[in-house]
């Protein structure tokens, strides 16, 4: 009999898992989604200009060739449309329970007791048993508001970039944007055109490289659809470029200088004012924080109605943002301040074997074998879990590797009962990760969402993705043991 599977989240990860179960003829699964629609981050991030800086022929499932992309780097509506297309084509939409939040998952010795409630409501809890739980909630799903004194006192309108207030028209307004990461870099050029004045508050400059966008006209789309192998070859080319050129820069290899030169040239080409250029020049190695890939951000900062504030923010007042240099009066504040990225699975309560809490186990920072499995938590698997984020390639590639790994665990757990990763395998994995991490650029010189407050990198994968594919593809049996023998 097929195991019953609870999948939590209907974004790229959860949908991929559901689709592969469908393709394998396993229909004993449910996808729990706390929102009213599927799409995960591509549903939540609807700010103007939201899009992906990885080309969509690669930022898409390898098994679902899609000839409809209208450009190399499509925007959020197109990516969300792709996910809807996949959910319908592979017949998984009917298996999604929308507006249902998973509050708790508790392993009772043989099954997971999964407790859900209608999203954003107290009470109404319901508990169901599943053999397997697959977490597909992602790393960037909970917006992080900063802790700046006075924020509640602001009398204007404020919101986080991942919860864009589309009812609030910014035309002619004085707007503050706090943050200058990939999200801010995408929406600043779009809103700069219509606001009266835009104050961009930058705490740390980012390295920025151009985004070589291109449109795909009807002929190109027809070619992608009909020319055998064209789409696959294009996808492969993008993949190899990212792996062969960008990855070595993050591993402090041969292309470090190339990446830096490219970013410096981009800054020189786009920002003529030396004072502004100086403010925008980072003092840490490129790649330490996520490199921003955008060709419209710098030109937006050179507009007469845009100013870049680099003074320390002291407080938010009723009227605006006060820095060490004075008050900037605004009527709108957009917090582009990122996500609670190191708090994996929070606020869900996850309790494994012998009452072990995952929160307790992870108090020094989240870690998981292959980013997928944790000792003491049998039949619990993660997608886009700890140490699987990339700064250079498509996370969808990693998700597919993870789903393949989980699929290959299913026959074993169906035969032997619950299985968990062996503690000694996990210990060896942690040591291997630490050694690989020491080579990477993320450790020193900068703060980023890749690491915990005490500097441990819990989010990124420190190797080539080809290695990750190989590791996740190898038979999982030796790494796991049945709980009955634990
Ligand atoms: P982010 O990269 O974490 O940036 C947050 C920004 O807010 C930073 O500039 C940060 O400054 C600033 N900030 C935070 N707290 C602050 C405070 N108290 N005072 C002043 N500034 C503060 O967040 P994000 O831009 O939303 O992007 C997150 C990730 O999402 C990206 O790195 C990327 O992986 C992904 N993303 C991808 C795309 C894409 O095209 N693929 C697009 C958007 C987002 P510091 O740098 O000084 O901390």
């Amino acid at each position: 009999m097929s195991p019953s599977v609870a999948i939590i989240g209907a974004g790229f990860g959860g949908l991929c898992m559901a689709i592969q179960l469908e393709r394998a003829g396993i229909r004993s699964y449910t996808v729990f989604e706390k929102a009213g629609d599927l799409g995960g981050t591509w549903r939540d991030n609807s700010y103007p200009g939201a899009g992906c800086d990885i080309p969509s022929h690669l930022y898409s499932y390898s098994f679902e060739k899609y000839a409809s992309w209208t450009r190399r780097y499509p925007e959020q509506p197109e990516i969300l449309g792709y996910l809807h297309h996949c959910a319908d084509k592979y017949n998984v939409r009917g298996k999604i329970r929308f507006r249902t939040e998973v509050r708790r998952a508790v392993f009772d010795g043989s099954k997971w007791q999964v407790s859900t409630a209608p999203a954003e409501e107290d009470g109404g809890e319901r508990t169901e048993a599943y053999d397997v739980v697959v977490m597909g909630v992602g790393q960037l799903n909970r917006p992080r508001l900063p802790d700046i004194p006075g924020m509640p006192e602001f009398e204007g309108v404020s919101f986080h970039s991942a919860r864009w207030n589309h009812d609030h028209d910014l035309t002619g307004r004085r707007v503050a944007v706090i943050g200058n990461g990939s999200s801010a870099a995408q929406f600043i050029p779009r809103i700069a055109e219509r606001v009266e004045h835009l104050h961009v508050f930058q705490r740390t400059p980012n390295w920025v490289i151009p985004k070589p966008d291109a449109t795909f006209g009807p002929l190109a789309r027809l070619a992608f659809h009909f020319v055998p192998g064209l789409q696959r070859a294009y996808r492969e080319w993008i993949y190899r470029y990212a792996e062969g050129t960008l990855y070595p820069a993050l591993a402090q290899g041969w292309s470090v200088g190339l990446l830096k030169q490219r970013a410096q040239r981009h800054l020189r080409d786009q920002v003529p004012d030396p004072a502004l250029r100086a403010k925008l020049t980072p003092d840490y190695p490129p790649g330490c924080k996520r490199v921003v890939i955008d060709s419209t951000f710098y030109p937006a900062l050179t507009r007469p109605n845009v100013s870049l504030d680099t003074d320390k923010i002291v407080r938010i007042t009723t009227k605006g943002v006060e820095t060490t240099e004075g008050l900037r009066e605004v009527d709108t504040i957009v917090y582009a301040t990122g996500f609670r990225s190191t708090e994996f699975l929070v606020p869900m309560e996850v309790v494994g074997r012998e009452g072990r809490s995952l929160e307790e186990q992870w108090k020094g920072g989240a870690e998981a074998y292959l980013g997928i499995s944790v000792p003491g938590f049998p039949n619990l698997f993660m997608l886009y879990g700890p140490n699987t984020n990339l700064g250079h390639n498509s996370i969808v590639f990693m998700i597919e590797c993870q789903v393949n790994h989980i699929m290959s665990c299913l026959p074993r757990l169906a035969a032997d009962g619950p299985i968990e990763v062996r503690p000694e395998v996990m210990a060896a994995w942690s040591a291997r990760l630490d050694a690989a991490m020491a080579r990477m650029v993320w450790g020193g010189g900068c703060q980023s969402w890749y690491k915990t407050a005490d500097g441990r990198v819990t989010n990124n994968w420190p190797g080539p993705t080809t290695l990750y594919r190989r590791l996740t593809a190898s038979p999982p049996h030796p790494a796991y043991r049945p709980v009955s023998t634990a």
Side-chain angles (χ1 to χ4, degrees):
M1 210 173 73
S2 299
S4 54
V5 183
I7 301 170
I8 303 174
F12 255 110
L15 288 176
C16 186
M17 187 70 221
I19 290 169
Q20 295 301 17
L21 287 169
E22 280 286 337
R23 293 174 91 198
I26 300 173
R27 303 222 67 228
S28 47
Y29 71 92
T30 303
V31 183
F32 295 100
E33 171 53 61
K34 76 174 187 238
D37 192 8
L38 56 81
T41 198
W42 297 107
R43 174 203 57 226
D44 292 343
N45 285 274
S46 62
Y47 56 76
C52 188
D53 56 16
I54 303 290
S56 275
H57 282 92
L58 181 61
Y59 193 86
S60 50
Y61 301 128
S62 60
F63 53 83
E64 185 48 24
K65 210 171 92 164
Y66 194 58
S68 307
W69 300 117
T70 61
R71 51 194 320 124
R72 187 179 291 152
Y73 298 96
E75 294 199 346
Q76 173 260 351
E78 234 179 285
I79 302 170
L80 188 57
Y82 171 77
L83 288 172
H84 277 276
H85 157 84
C86 293
D88 290 332
K89 176 167 172 181
Y90 292 95
N91 214 19
V92 303
R93 187 185 293 276
K95 305 285 278 182
I96 306 174
R97 261 193 239 164
F98 291 107
R99 295 192 183 80
T100 306
E101 183 176 359
V102 173
R103 300 267 169 92
R104 203 172 315 105
V106 179
F107 185 68
D108 69 4
S110 63
K111 286 189 183 271
W112 282 93
Q113 300 294 333
V114 177
S115 301
T116 60
E120 287 159 28
E121 277 177 36
D122 288 333
E125 226 175 71
R126 163 177 171 184
T127 300
E128 293 159 73
Y130 287 88
D131 296 309
V132 175
V133 171
V134 178
M135 299 285 184
V137 299
Q139 296 189 3
L140 301 172
N141 62 334
R142 295 175 63 228
R144 190 169 70 86
L145 281 171
D147 193 13
I148 304 173
M151 282 171 54
E153 270 95 77
F154 181 58
E155 284 173 351
V157 173
S158 63
F159 49 89
H160 189 277
S161 59
R163 300 287 181 271
W164 197 267
N165 183 346
H166 290 280
D167 296 331
H168 181 64
D169 185 4
L170 293 177
T171 309
R173 296 198 187 265
R174 287 163 303 142
V175 179
V177 173
I178 299 184
N180 58 315
S182 300
S183 300
Q186 289 185 337
F187 71 74
I188 283 171
R190 299 296 173 95
I191 66 171
E193 293 166 354
R194 37 192 171 104
V195 300
E196 181 197 306
H197 195 91
L198 185 61
H199 292 277
V200 177
F201 290 89
Q202 170 191 285
R203 191 164 61 178
T204 319
N206 284 306
W207 291 101
V208 182
I209 57 172
K211 180 156 117 178
D213 204 1
T215 51
F216 297 131
L219 272 181
R221 297 211 292 275
L222 278 175
F224 277 128
H225 192 71
F226 289 111
V227 177
L230 179 63
Q231 191 158 161
R232 188 152 295 282
Y234 180 58
R235 180 182 169 98
E236 191 64 25
W237 175 75
I238 307 164
Y239 175 78
R240 280 174 194 253
Y241 173 78
E243 215 51 23
T245 309
L246 294 178
Y247 170 72
L250 304 182
Q252 310 193 72
W254 71 270
S255 53
V256 173
L258 207 65
L259 180 61
K260 191 167 182 175
Q261 279 164 24
R262 197 163 176 217
Q264 286 170 328
R265 193 175 341 117
H266 186 50
L267 179 60
R268 257 194 331 269
D269 290 349
Q270 293 203 316
V271 181
D273 173 12
L276 182 57
R277 255 199 331 257
K279 281 184 175 181
L280 290 167
T281 303
D283 64 358
Y284 57 86
C288 185
K289 293 160 96 72
R290 171 66 148 78
V291 171
V292 171
I293 307 176
D294 201 284
S295 299
T296 55
F297 176 53
Y298 284 152
L301 297 181
T302 66
R303 292 173 63 97
N305 68 333
V306 176
S307 45
L308 182 70
D309 273 275
T310 55
D311 308 308
K312 188 174 162 40
I313 298 173
V314 180
R315 67 176 66 84
I316 306 292
T317 73
T318 52
K319 299 271 171 265
V321 181
E322 190 180 318
T323 71
T324 46
E325 293 303 301
L327 178 66
R328 309 282 180 255
E329 286 197 29
V330 293
D331 45 45
T332 307
I333 301 177
V334 185
Y335 294 104
T337 43
F339 299 86
R340 308 181 81 91
S341 51
T342 55
E343 299 170 4
F344 290 83
L345 308 185
V346 171
M348 233 180 297
E349 190 186 343
V350 182
V351 181
R353 211 156 49 73
E354 292 151 14
R356 217 180 292 186
S357 132
L358 195 56
E359 192 187 355
E360 179 62 19
Q361 185 144 329
W362 279 354
K363 62 179 188 298
E367 58 176 12
Y369 172 62
L370 298 169
I372 299 175
S373 312
V374 184
F377 294 79
N379 288 6
L380 177 87
F381 302 100
M382 272 170 286
L383 302 170
Y384 195 15
N387 295 109
T388 63
N389 178 60
L390 302 175
H392 74 287
N393 208 325
S394 170
I395 190 60
V396 185
F397 175 93
M398 301 293 273
I399 287 170
E400 284 196 56
C401 294
Q402 291 147 13
V403 170
N404 289 343
H405 179 86
I406 299 167
M407 291 299 290
S408 65
C409 288
L410 296 184
R412 170 94 184 272
L413 61 87
D416 294 353
I419 57 169
E420 65 174 5
V421 65
R422 294 174 186 276
E424 65 275 18
V425 171
M426 182 68 223
W429 177 255
S430 297
R432 187 175 177 174
L433 267 188
D434 287 348
M437 204 59 87
R439 285 195 303 272
M440 305 303 293
V441 67
W442 309 306
C446 77
Q447 283 302 318
S448 77
W449 65 260
Y450 299 158
K451 48 193 181 190
T452 58
D454 57 10
R456 185 159 158 232
V457 181
T458 51
N459 290 65
N460 283 10
W461 167 242
T465 61
T466 44
L467 173 64
Y468 189 75
R469 175 165 51 190
R470 209 164 53 243
L471 292 171
T472 46
S474 55
H477 293 204
Y480 291 82
R481 66 181 180 188
V483 166
S484 53
T485 63

